[in-house]
């Protein structure tokens, strides 16, 4: 498992508010790293910095050995699945996948459409190919967003709270899709509050608190062995119900 | 009370198609120019620009929004020849109407672009779209759908405002009315007929706008 991401001494501030401070972390190919922590702990900011969507205030992020400075430096390597899906509403379900392939990878229309069909089949919404995203359920929208990210064949897919706007039943659909990707060895970084869902397939869990990594380890270590007080408090607060 | 006599218009009815054609040509020509200007200027004004470009675009929008169309027509057709620039009356009419309407509609485009969710830019960037591809393929199609009703209102306005070009040597609908009036002295019959023709043209645009809006709304939540 080669090193894919190395984060050294990362800090990020918005005006006078420090969100991330002196953070070190690494992600290897094939890993499924879940980032947990209470609201405001800096989880989303961390993954947005890794994706190049936020500039860093200090330190550095290396992706495949090259510094991440903006989205252009992560293009082709990082795929992103957002909390609010951010699908393109004016494209059909099929076009949400095929249009970027045509525009960015200069793929021919019929080949791009064929690839879109394969990916939509993989996330079980092939029957929605001709429809617009507004006709999809929340879970289907997020699965389309996953298929769109997969289409660009990124080395890592970042999920920024992919199920927090979904009810439990729909969140379950999305986690099943993520679980399928985990079985295929896709490298993933997942920010989530739904820790019971990810403990099944995460290879490592990182607990962020006040912009710093407070604990990290295997799911077994996080849930059963660590005696970190803040982690214990956090685990008590989150919903343990299986989804 | 004067007896109404619409038959006095009959000898001139054969002149109507040409006047209507000119009205539509100026209206449509001005509108197409206005759309192009609105998209270019409106899109540019949502971005961080070199201060000179910013100043030029702001000056254009504010000048054409802050002065009467009639005065603008005088400046373009009667004023520019003082600098050796002579423009055909039809071209002067189309250019002035386009510049005037483009200034208003550029603000509509700008507001529509700003109303598109920030997440659309981020999703496009993560897929590898550059800023030009993002604006043309992702943002503008969504922004223009929002702008369509106002654009179609703009088209109706241009059709009505073509009556102002009667001050130029162009025989459009209002000018034709003035000429018939000078010969017949039946102002009510003439101008009410002209008003009805304008109404039919602008009301047709309303139907077109609704059809267009329906067509473009299939993907709206």
């Amino acid at each position: 498992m080669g090193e894919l991401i190395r984060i050294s001494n990362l800090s990020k501030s918005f005006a006078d508010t420090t969100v991330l401070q002196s953070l070190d972390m690494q992600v290897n190919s094939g890993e499924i790293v879940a980032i947990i922590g209470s609201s405001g702990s800096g989880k989303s900011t961390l993954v947005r910095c890794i994706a190049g969507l936020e500039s860093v205030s200090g330190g550095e992020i290396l992706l495949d050995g090259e510094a991440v400075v903006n989205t252009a430096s992560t293009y082709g390597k990082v795929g992103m699945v957002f909390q609010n899906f951010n699908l393109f509403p004016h494209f059909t379900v099929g076009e949400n996948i095929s249009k970027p392939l045509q525009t960015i990878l200069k793929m021919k229309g019929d080949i791009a459409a064929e690839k879109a069909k394969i990916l939509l089949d993989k996330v079980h919404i092939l029957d929605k190919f001709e429809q617009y995203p507004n006709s999809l359920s929340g879970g289907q929208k997020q699965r389309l967003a996953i298929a769109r990210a997969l289409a660009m064949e990124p080395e890592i897919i970042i999920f920024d709270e992919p199920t927090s706007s979904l009810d439990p039943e729909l969140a379950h659909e999305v986690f099943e899709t993520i679980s399928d990707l985990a079985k295929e060895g896709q490298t993933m970084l997942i920010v989530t509050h739904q820790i019971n869902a990810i403990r099944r397939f995460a290879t490592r869990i990182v607990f962020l608190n006040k912009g710093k990594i407070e604990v990290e380890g295997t799911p077994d270590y996080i849930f059963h062995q660590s005696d970190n007080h803040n982690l214990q408090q956090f685990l008590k607060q989150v919903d343990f119900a299986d989804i | 009370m004067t007896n109404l006599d619409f038959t006095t218009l009959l000898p001139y009815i054969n002149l109507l198609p040409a006047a209507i054609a000119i009205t539509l040509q100026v209206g449509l020509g001005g509108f197409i120019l206005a759309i192009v200007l609105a998209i270019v200027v409106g899109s540019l004004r949502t971005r961080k620009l070199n201060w000179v470009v910013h100043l030029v675009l702001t000056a254009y929008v504010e000048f054409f929004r802050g002065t009467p169309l009639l005065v603008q027509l005088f400046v373009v057709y009667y004023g520019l020849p003082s600098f050796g620039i002579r423009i055909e009356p039809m071209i002067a009419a189309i250019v002035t109407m386009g510049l005037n309407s483009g200034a208003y509609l550029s603000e509509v485009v700008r507001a529509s672009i700003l109303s598109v969710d920030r997440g659309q830019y981020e999703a496009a960037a993560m897929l590898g779209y550059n800023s030009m591809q993002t604006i043309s393929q992702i943002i503008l199609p969504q922004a223009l759908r929002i702008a369509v009703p106002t654009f179609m209102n703009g088209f109706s306005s241009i059709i009505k405002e073509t009556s102002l070009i009667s001050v130029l040597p162009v025989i459009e609908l209002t000018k034709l009315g003035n000429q018939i009036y000078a010969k017949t002295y039946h102002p009510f019959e003439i101008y009410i007929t002209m008003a009805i023709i304008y109404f039919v043209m602008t009301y047709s645009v309303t139907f077109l706008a609704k059809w267009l809006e329906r067509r473009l709304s299939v993907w709206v939540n």
Side-chain angles (χ1 to χ4, degrees):
Chain A
M1 289 204 300
E3 182 183 277
L4 185 62
I5 296 169
R6 170 167 289 279
I7 300 169
S8 313
N9 201 26
L10 177 71
S11 62
K12 172 68 183 173
S13 303
F14 293 102
D16 294 334
T17 310
T18 301
V19 182
L20 300 172
Q21 44 187 326
S22 309
L23 193 143
D24 296 306
M25 181 179 164
Q26 75 174 72
V27 179
N28 296 324
S29 292
E31 271 198 301
I32 298 146
V33 179
I35 301 175
I36 61 172
S38 51
S39 295
S41 60
K43 310 182 296 292
S44 287
T45 305
L46 171 60
V47 293
R48 287 173 62 82
C49 286
I50 295 171
L53 290 168
E54 300 285 352
S55 59
V56 302
S57 307
E60 68 173 359
I61 300 170
L62 297 178
L63 176 63
D64 268 345
E66 289 177 27
V68 172
V69 284
N70 52 33
T71 50
S73 46
T74 62
Y75 157 62
K77 295 176 182 171
V78 177
M80 184 98 177
V81 175
F82 299 88
Q83 179 182 346
N84 296 325
F85 324 124
N86 291 342
L87 298 170
F88 301 134
H90 58 302
F91 290 162
T92 62
V93 167
E95 286 170 345
N96 260 276
I97 298 172
S98 64
K99 290 275 188 188
L101 290 173
Q102 288 173 259
T103 303
I104 310 302
L105 302 183
K106 309 294 177 206
M107 208 176 260
K108 283 188 176 168
D110 51 344
I111 298 171
E114 205 47 50
K115 183 163 184 180
K117 283 178 182 167
I118 293 167
L119 288 164
L120 289 174
D121 192 31
K122 186 173 178 156
V123 296
H124 313 297
I125 49 169
L126 179 57
D127 56 321
K128 309 289 182 188
F129 187 85
E130 301 280 355
Q131 296 179 20
Y132 284 91
N134 63 358
S135 66
L136 304 182
S137 70
Q140 289 170 332
K141 283 179 182 170
Q142 200 56 293
R143 281 185 281 150
L144 170 56
I146 294 170
R148 184 178 65 174
L150 280 171
M152 308 309 280
E153 298 178 10
E155 293 179 36
I156 182 169
I157 300 182
I158 294 174
F159 295 82
D160 186 8
E161 306 207 21
T163 56
S164 51
S165 60
L166 304 177
D167 60 42
E169 193 184 341
L170 298 178
H172 177 74
E173 289 177 13
V174 173
F175 276 118
E176 283 304 307
T177 304
I178 297 174
S179 175
D180 290 343
L181 293 178
K183 287 173 196 155
E184 292 172 15
Q186 172 71 52
T187 312
M188 292 184 278
L189 197 51
I190 308 167
V191 170
T192 185
H193 280 115
Q194 284 159 318
I195 52 178
N196 271 343
I198 44 107
R199 66 196 295 180
R200 286 185 289 134
F201 51 80
T203 53
R204 184 154 53 100
I205 296 178
V206 172
F207 173 62
L208 267 191
N209 188 35
K210 294 179 182 167
K212 285 183 171 175
I213 294 177
E214 196 148 317
V215 188
E216 67 177 307
T218 62
D220 184 53
Y221 177 76
I222 293 290
F223 290 106
H224 304 298
Q225 296 173 33
S226 171
D227 57 0
N228 179 281
H229 175 71
N230 290 326
L231 175 62
Q232 297 297 332
Q233 286 296 109
F234 171 73
L235 292 177
K236 272 183 199 164
Q237 285 165 13
V238 293
D239 184 9
F240 271 86
D242 274 320
I243 62 166
Chain B
M1 189 180 154
T2 313
N3 286 329
L4 294 179
D5 182 9
F6 282 89
T7 60
T8 54
L9 297 178
L10 288 175
Y12 306 99
I13 207 133
N14 61 330
L15 300 173
L16 266 178
I20 291 172
I22 286 179
T23 297
L24 286 174
Q25 278 169 29
V26 173
L28 207 59
F31 183 59
I32 290 168
L33 177 61
I35 288 178
V36 174
L37 280 170
I39 291 173
V40 173
V41 176
S43 305
L44 285 174
R45 273 165 54 88
T46 59
R47 303 162 74 95
K48 279 183 183 163
L49 296 169
N50 168 301
W51 72 270
V52 179
V53 179
H54 174 77
L55 192 72
V56 168
L57 295 182
T58 306
Y60 156 65
V61 172
E62 296 308 327
F63 177 78
F64 277 91
R65 292 199 318 159
T67 53
L69 175 60
L70 188 59
V71 174
Q72 292 163 14
L73 281 166
F74 284 148
V75 169
V76 172
Y77 186 70
Y78 295 110
L80 289 183
S82 305
F83 299 94
I85 304 167
R86 289 181 192 283
I87 306 174
E88 289 293 312
M90 275 289 282
I91 303 295
I94 290 171
V95 168
T96 313
M97 308 276 308
L99 284 167
N100 179 278
S101 195
Y104 283 98
L105 294 180
S106 72
E107 285 296 273
V108 176
V109 171
R110 191 167 75 98
S112 302
I113 287 174
L114 293 175
S115 71
V116 174
D117 191 85
R118 196 76 224 152
Q120 293 289 301
Y121 292 86
E122 294 186 346
M126 289 310 301
L127 290 166
Y129 280 73
N130 63 32
S131 59
M132 201 61 190
Q133 291 165 333
T134 302
I135 198 83
S136 64
Q137 296 180 36
I138 307 297
I139 306 301
L140 266 181
Q142 297 182 55
L144 291 181
R145 198 217 63 82
I146 299 166
V148 158
T150 321
F151 266 39
M152 297 318 282
N153 275 340
F155 187 40
S156 286
S157 297
I158 287 186
I159 294 285
K160 287 180 279 185
E161 285 162 357
T162 55
S163 64
L164 288 174
I165 64 169
S166 59
V167 298
L168 305 184
V170 176
I171 303 177
E172 45 65 64
L173 215 44
T174 301
K175 183 114 164 185
L176 178 67
N178 292 343
Q179 291 181 341
I180 300 173
Y181 168 54
K183 291 183 179 170
T184 63
Y185 294 101
H186 280 269
F188 184 81
E189 292 91 324
I190 293 162
Y191 291 119
I192 197 70
T193 304
M194 298 302 162
I196 289 167
I197 295 170
Y198 278 116
F199 178 75
V200 169
M201 285 194 279
T202 55
Y203 203 64
S204 309
V205 175
T206 310
F207 282 107
L208 181 66
K210 282 185 181 157
W211 173 80
L212 204 57
E213 223 179 312
R214 239 188 347 263
R215 244 185 96 82
L216 291 173
S217 295
V218 285
W219 49 267
V220 176
N221 285 322

mmCIF file of all heavy atoms in Angstrom, chain A residues 31-68:
data_model
loop_
_atom_site.group_PDB
_atom_site.id
_atom_site.type_symbol
_atom_site.label_atom_id
_atom_site.label_comp_id
_atom_site.label_asym_id
_atom_site.label_seq_id
_atom_site.Cartn_x
_atom_site.Cartn_y
_atom_site.Cartn_z
ATOM 1 N N GLU A 31 -6.747 2.235 1.496
ATOM 2 C CA GLU A 31 -7.316 2.474 2.830
ATOM 3 C C GLU A 31 -8.715 3.093 2.733
ATOM 4 O O GLU A 31 -9.019 3.824 1.791
ATOM 5 C CB GLU A 31 -6.430 3.443 3.614
ATOM 6 C CG GLU A 31 -5.333 2.789 4.410
ATOM 7 C CD GLU A 31 -4.793 3.731 5.468
ATOM 8 O OE1 GLU A 31 -4.308 4.813 5.101
ATOM 9 O OE2 GLU A 31 -4.860 3.388 6.652
ATOM 10 N N ILE A 32 -9.506 2.816 3.751
ATOM 11 C CA ILE A 32 -10.795 3.499 3.880
ATOM 12 C C ILE A 32 -10.765 4.191 5.231
ATOM 13 O O ILE A 32 -10.902 3.550 6.279
ATOM 14 C CB ILE A 32 -11.970 2.499 3.788
ATOM 15 C CG1 ILE A 32 -11.936 1.842 2.401
ATOM 16 C CG2 ILE A 32 -13.299 3.203 4.012
ATOM 17 C CD1 ILE A 32 -12.377 0.432 2.418
ATOM 18 N N VAL A 33 -10.528 5.486 5.168
ATOM 19 C CA VAL A 33 -10.342 6.247 6.402
ATOM 20 C C VAL A 33 -11.607 7.040 6.694
ATOM 21 O O VAL A 33 -12.087 7.801 5.842
ATOM 22 C CB VAL A 33 -9.139 7.211 6.274
ATOM 23 C CG1 VAL A 33 -8.957 8.023 7.555
ATOM 24 C CG2 VAL A 33 -7.872 6.446 5.940
ATOM 25 N N ALA A 34 -12.150 6.824 7.871
ATOM 26 C CA ALA A 34 -13.324 7.592 8.290
ATOM 27 C C ALA A 34 -12.864 8.697 9.230
ATOM 28 O O ALA A 34 -12.017 8.460 10.094
ATOM 29 C CB ALA A 34 -14.318 6.687 8.984
ATOM 30 N N ILE A 35 -13.407 9.882 9.017
ATOM 31 C CA ILE A 35 -13.074 11.008 9.896
ATOM 32 C C ILE A 35 -14.324 11.349 10.690
ATOM 33 O O ILE A 35 -15.378 11.650 10.118
ATOM 34 C CB ILE A 35 -12.599 12.229 9.084
ATOM 35 C CG1 ILE A 35 -11.357 11.854 8.266
ATOM 36 C CG2 ILE A 35 -12.279 13.397 10.009
ATOM 37 C CD1 ILE A 35 -10.866 12.937 7.339
ATOM 38 N N ILE A 36 -14.208 11.235 12.006
ATOM 39 C CA ILE A 36 -15.351 11.529 12.856
ATOM 40 C C ILE A 36 -14.991 12.687 13.797
ATOM 41 O O ILE A 36 -13.818 13.045 13.945
ATOM 42 C CB ILE A 36 -15.812 10.285 13.658
ATOM 43 C CG1 ILE A 36 -14.686 9.784 14.581
ATOM 44 C CG2 ILE A 36 -16.278 9.180 12.729
ATOM 45 C CD1 ILE A 36 -15.131 8.682 15.549
ATOM 46 N N GLY A 37 -16.004 13.233 14.412
ATOM 47 C CA GLY A 37 -15.777 14.348 15.335
ATOM 48 C C GLY A 37 -17.042 15.179 15.406
ATOM 49 O O GLY A 37 -17.879 15.113 14.509
ATOM 50 N N SER A 38 -17.145 15.952 16.466
ATOM 51 C CA SER A 38 -18.367 16.735 16.634
ATOM 52 C C SER A 38 -18.397 17.890 15.621
ATOM 53 O O SER A 38 -17.386 18.186 14.978
ATOM 54 C CB SER A 38 -18.459 17.270 18.064
ATOM 55 O OG SER A 38 -17.256 17.917 18.383
ATOM 56 N N SER A 39 -19.555 18.533 15.512
ATOM 57 C CA SER A 39 -19.694 19.653 14.581
ATOM 58 C C SER A 39 -18.694 20.745 14.939
ATOM 59 O O SER A 39 -18.520 21.057 16.119
ATOM 60 C CB SER A 39 -21.112 20.223 14.646
ATOM 61 O OG SER A 39 -22.013 19.256 14.194
ATOM 62 N N GLY A 40 -18.043 21.289 13.942
ATOM 63 C CA GLY A 40 -17.077 22.355 14.192
ATOM 64 C C GLY A 40 -15.684 21.844 14.517
ATOM 65 O O GLY A 40 -14.782 22.625 14.795
ATOM 66 N N SER A 41 -15.502 20.518 14.452
ATOM 67 C CA SER A 41 -14.178 19.970 14.794
ATOM 68 C C SER A 41 -13.175 20.126 13.643
ATOM 69 O O SER A 41 -11.994 19.886 13.818
ATOM 70 C CB SER A 41 -14.304 18.499 15.184
ATOM 71 O OG SER A 41 -14.846 17.769 14.110
ATOM 72 N N GLY A 42 -13.689 20.480 12.447
ATOM 73 C CA GLY A 42 -12.789 20.725 11.316
ATOM 74 C C GLY A 42 -12.768 19.598 10.285
ATOM 75 O O GLY A 42 -11.941 19.623 9.371
ATOM 76 N N LYS A 43 -13.685 18.642 10.414
ATOM 77 C CA LYS A 43 -13.684 17.478 9.507
ATOM 78 C C LYS A 43 -13.850 17.899 8.041
ATOM 79 O O LYS A 43 -13.058 17.525 7.186
ATOM 80 C CB LYS A 43 -14.832 16.497 9.842
ATOM 81 C CG LYS A 43 -14.958 16.084 11.275
ATOM 82 C CD LYS A 43 -16.083 15.094 11.485
ATOM 83 C CE LYS A 43 -17.463 15.626 11.195
ATOM 84 N NZ LYS A 43 -17.980 16.648 12.095
ATOM 85 N N SER A 44 -14.919 18.667 7.807
ATOM 86 C CA SER A 44 -15.194 19.066 6.414
ATOM 87 C C SER A 44 -14.098 19.965 5.866
ATOM 88 O O SER A 44 -13.704 19.837 4.706
ATOM 89 C CB SER A 44 -16.543 19.787 6.321
ATOM 90 O OG SER A 44 -17.578 18.850 6.460
ATOM 91 N N THR A 45 -13.593 20.865 6.719
ATOM 92 C CA THR A 45 -12.519 21.762 6.262
ATOM 93 C C THR A 45 -11.295 20.945 5.870
ATOM 94 O O THR A 45 -10.652 21.223 4.855
ATOM 95 C CB THR A 45 -12.158 22.766 7.380
ATOM 96 O OG1 THR A 45 -13.345 23.453 7.765
ATOM 97 C CG2 THR A 45 -11.110 23.760 6.911
ATOM 98 N N LEU A 46 -11.002 19.901 6.657
ATOM 99 C CA LEU A 46 -9.834 19.059 6.362
ATOM 100 C C LEU A 46 -9.973 18.412 4.979
ATOM 101 O O LEU A 46 -9.065 18.507 4.152
ATOM 102 C CB LEU A 46 -9.675 17.986 7.447
ATOM 103 C CG LEU A 46 -8.624 16.906 7.170
ATOM 104 C CD1 LEU A 46 -7.238 17.511 7.008
ATOM 105 C CD2 LEU A 46 -8.623 15.857 8.295
ATOM 106 N N VAL A 47 -11.134 17.799 4.726
ATOM 107 C CA VAL A 47 -11.263 17.113 3.428
ATOM 108 C C VAL A 47 -11.364 18.112 2.270
ATOM 109 O O VAL A 47 -10.922 17.832 1.158
ATOM 110 C CB VAL A 47 -12.432 16.093 3.394
ATOM 111 C CG1 VAL A 47 -12.164 14.939 4.324
ATOM 112 C CG2 VAL A 47 -13.778 16.741 3.671
ATOM 113 N N ARG A 48 -11.923 19.280 2.547
ATOM 114 C CA ARG A 48 -11.988 20.295 1.496
ATOM 115 C C ARG A 48 -10.584 20.818 1.161
ATOM 116 O O ARG A 48 -10.294 21.137 0.011
ATOM 117 C CB ARG A 48 -12.915 21.445 1.909
ATOM 118 C CG ARG A 48 -14.408 21.037 1.856
ATOM 119 C CD ARG A 48 -15.301 22.123 2.420
ATOM 120 N NE ARG A 48 -15.199 23.352 1.651
ATOM 121 C CZ ARG A 48 -15.852 23.595 0.517
ATOM 122 N NH1 ARG A 48 -16.656 22.677 0.019
ATOM 123 N NH2 ARG A 48 -15.695 24.723 -0.113
ATOM 124 N N CYS A 49 -9.720 20.882 2.168
ATOM 125 C CA CYS A 49 -8.324 21.270 1.903
ATOM 126 C C CYS A 49 -7.639 20.182 1.072
ATOM 127 O O CYS A 49 -6.899 20.486 0.125
ATOM 128 C CB CYS A 49 -7.562 21.461 3.218
ATOM 129 S SG CYS A 49 -7.985 22.977 4.093
ATOM 130 N N ILE A 50 -7.894 18.925 1.421
ATOM 131 C CA ILE A 50 -7.274 17.819 0.675
ATOM 132 C C ILE A 50 -7.735 17.851 -0.788
ATOM 133 O O ILE A 50 -6.960 17.600 -1.707
ATOM 134 C CB ILE A 50 -7.608 16.461 1.333
ATOM 135 C CG1 ILE A 50 -6.982 16.388 2.727
ATOM 136 C CG2 ILE A 50 -7.134 15.294 0.459
ATOM 137 C CD1 ILE A 50 -7.422 15.180 3.548
ATOM 138 N N ALA A 51 -9.032 18.192 -0.988
ATOM 139 C CA ALA A 51 -9.580 18.221 -2.350
ATOM 140 C C ALA A 51 -9.101 19.445 -3.137
ATOM 141 O O ALA A 51 -9.288 19.514 -4.345
ATOM 142 C CB ALA A 51 -11.104 18.217 -2.280
ATOM 143 N N GLY A 52 -8.526 20.420 -2.447
ATOM 144 C CA GLY A 52 -8.078 21.639 -3.120
ATOM 145 C C GLY A 52 -9.154 22.707 -3.170
ATOM 146 O O GLY A 52 -8.986 23.738 -3.814
ATOM 147 N N LEU A 53 -10.285 22.460 -2.484
ATOM 148 C CA LEU A 53 -11.375 23.440 -2.488
ATOM 149 C C LEU A 53 -11.127 24.587 -1.516
ATOM 150 O O LEU A 53 -11.761 25.633 -1.609
ATOM 151 C CB LEU A 53 -12.713 22.754 -2.144
ATOM 152 C CG LEU A 53 -13.271 21.814 -3.203
ATOM 153 C CD1 LEU A 53 -14.418 20.979 -2.647
ATOM 154 C CD2 LEU A 53 -13.756 22.601 -4.422
ATOM 155 N N GLU A 54 -10.229 24.368 -0.567
ATOM 156 C CA GLU A 54 -9.848 25.435 0.375
ATOM 157 C C GLU A 54 -8.324 25.571 0.335
ATOM 158 O O GLU A 54 -7.622 24.549 0.262
ATOM 159 C CB GLU A 54 -10.255 25.089 1.817
ATOM 160 C CG GLU A 54 -11.716 24.865 2.055
ATOM 161 C CD GLU A 54 -12.538 26.159 2.083
ATOM 162 O OE1 GLU A 54 -11.937 27.251 2.068
ATOM 163 O OE2 GLU A 54 -13.767 26.049 2.082
ATOM 164 N N SER A 55 -7.859 26.792 0.421
ATOM 165 C CA SER A 55 -6.410 26.984 0.510
ATOM 166 C C SER A 55 -5.992 26.728 1.959
ATOM 167 O O SER A 55 -6.800 26.886 2.870
ATOM 168 C CB SER A 55 -6.053 28.408 0.109
ATOM 169 O OG SER A 55 -6.721 29.311 0.967
ATOM 170 N N VAL A 56 -4.745 26.337 2.148
ATOM 171 C CA VAL A 56 -4.293 26.081 3.522
ATOM 172 C C VAL A 56 -3.616 27.345 4.059
ATOM 173 O O VAL A 56 -3.082 28.145 3.297
ATOM 174 C CB VAL A 56 -3.344 24.862 3.596
ATOM 175 C CG1 VAL A 56 -4.019 23.628 3.054
ATOM 176 C CG2 VAL A 56 -2.046 25.129 2.847
ATOM 177 N N SER A 57 -3.658 27.488 5.390
ATOM 178 C CA SER A 57 -3.016 28.667 5.994
ATOM 179 C C SER A 57 -1.569 28.362 6.358
ATOM 180 O O SER A 57 -0.737 29.264 6.451
ATOM 181 C CB SER A 57 -3.772 29.092 7.255
ATOM 182 O OG SER A 57 -5.132 29.263 6.977
ATOM 183 N N GLY A 58 -1.254 27.075 6.572
ATOM 184 C CA GLY A 58 0.113 26.695 6.916
ATOM 185 C C GLY A 58 0.293 25.201 6.715
ATOM 186 O O GLY A 58 -0.682 24.454 6.615
ATOM 187 N N GLY A 59 1.537 24.771 6.614
ATOM 188 C CA GLY A 59 1.813 23.357 6.398
ATOM 189 C C GLY A 59 1.581 22.973 4.953
ATOM 190 O O GLY A 59 1.443 23.844 4.085
ATOM 191 N N GLU A 60 1.540 21.662 4.686
ATOM 192 C CA GLU A 60 1.331 21.261 3.289
ATOM 193 C C GLU A 60 0.606 19.930 3.178
ATOM 194 O O GLU A 60 0.602 19.117 4.109
ATOM 195 C CB GLU A 60 2.653 21.215 2.529
ATOM 196 C CG GLU A 60 3.587 20.111 2.964
ATOM 197 C CD GLU A 60 4.813 20.001 2.055
ATOM 198 O OE1 GLU A 60 4.927 20.769 1.075
ATOM 199 O OE2 GLU A 60 5.645 19.114 2.320
ATOM 200 N N ILE A 61 -0.023 19.766 2.033
ATOM 201 C CA ILE A 61 -0.691 18.502 1.708
ATOM 202 C C ILE A 61 -0.038 17.998 0.433
ATOM 203 O O ILE A 61 -0.004 18.715 -0.575
ATOM 204 C CB ILE A 61 -2.194 18.716 1.457
ATOM 205 C CG1 ILE A 61 -2.869 19.295 2.712
ATOM 206 C CG2 ILE A 61 -2.869 17.405 1.050
ATOM 207 C CD1 ILE A 61 -4.296 19.758 2.477
ATOM 208 N N LEU A 62 0.481 16.783 0.497
ATOM 209 C CA LEU A 62 1.069 16.187 -0.703
ATOM 210 C C LEU A 62 0.164 15.066 -1.190
ATOM 211 O O LEU A 62 -0.260 14.204 -0.417
ATOM 212 C CB LEU A 62 2.464 15.632 -0.407
ATOM 213 C CG LEU A 62 3.545 16.630 0.023
ATOM 214 C CD1 LEU A 62 4.858 15.908 0.321
ATOM 215 C CD2 LEU A 62 3.764 17.693 -1.063
ATOM 216 N N LEU A 63 -0.141 15.125 -2.469
ATOM 217 C CA LEU A 63 -0.954 14.085 -3.091
ATOM 218 C C LEU A 63 -0.080 13.427 -4.152
ATOM 219 O O LEU A 63 0.350 14.113 -5.089
ATOM 220 C CB LEU A 63 -2.199 14.726 -3.727
ATOM 221 C CG LEU A 63 -3.140 13.833 -4.509
ATOM 222 C CD1 LEU A 63 -3.773 12.773 -3.628
ATOM 223 C CD2 LEU A 63 -4.228 14.681 -5.169
ATOM 224 N N ASP A 64 0.202 12.168 -3.957
ATOM 225 C CA ASP A 64 1.154 11.494 -4.858
ATOM 226 C C ASP A 64 2.481 12.260 -4.917
ATOM 227 O O ASP A 64 3.106 12.363 -5.976
ATOM 228 C CB ASP A 64 0.576 11.396 -6.276
ATOM 229 C CG ASP A 64 -0.163 10.079 -6.480
ATOM 230 O OD1 ASP A 64 0.026 9.163 -5.649
ATOM 231 O OD2 ASP A 64 -0.922 9.988 -7.462
ATOM 232 N N GLY A 65 2.850 12.869 -3.808
ATOM 233 C CA GLY A 65 4.121 13.594 -3.733
ATOM 234 C C GLY A 65 4.084 15.018 -4.228
ATOM 235 O O GLY A 65 5.069 15.736 -4.146
ATOM 236 N N GLU A 66 2.913 15.443 -4.766
ATOM 237 C CA GLU A 66 2.828 16.818 -5.280
ATOM 238 C C GLU A 66 1.915 17.658 -4.405
ATOM 239 O O GLU A 66 0.865 17.190 -3.951
ATOM 240 C CB GLU A 66 2.312 16.799 -6.719
ATOM 241 C CG GLU A 66 3.348 16.237 -7.686
ATOM 242 C CD GLU A 66 2.824 16.152 -9.110
ATOM 243 O OE1 GLU A 66 1.933 16.945 -9.463
ATOM 244 O OE2 GLU A 66 3.309 15.281 -9.849
ATOM 245 N N ALA A 67 2.311 18.913 -4.196
ATOM 246 C CA ALA A 67 1.568 19.786 -3.290
ATOM 247 C C ALA A 67 0.176 20.108 -3.845
ATOM 248 O O ALA A 67 0.018 20.383 -5.037
ATOM 249 C CB ALA A 67 2.346 21.069 -3.060
ATOM 250 N N VAL A 68 -0.818 20.070 -2.949
ATOM 251 C CA VAL A 68 -2.182 20.450 -3.320
ATOM 252 C C VAL A 68 -2.328 21.945 -3.065
ATOM 253 O O VAL A 68 -2.147 22.411 -1.943
ATOM 254 C CB VAL A 68 -3.215 19.677 -2.467
ATOM 255 C CG1 VAL A 68 -4.625 20.215 -2.712
ATOM 256 C CG2 VAL A 68 -3.146 18.189 -2.757
#
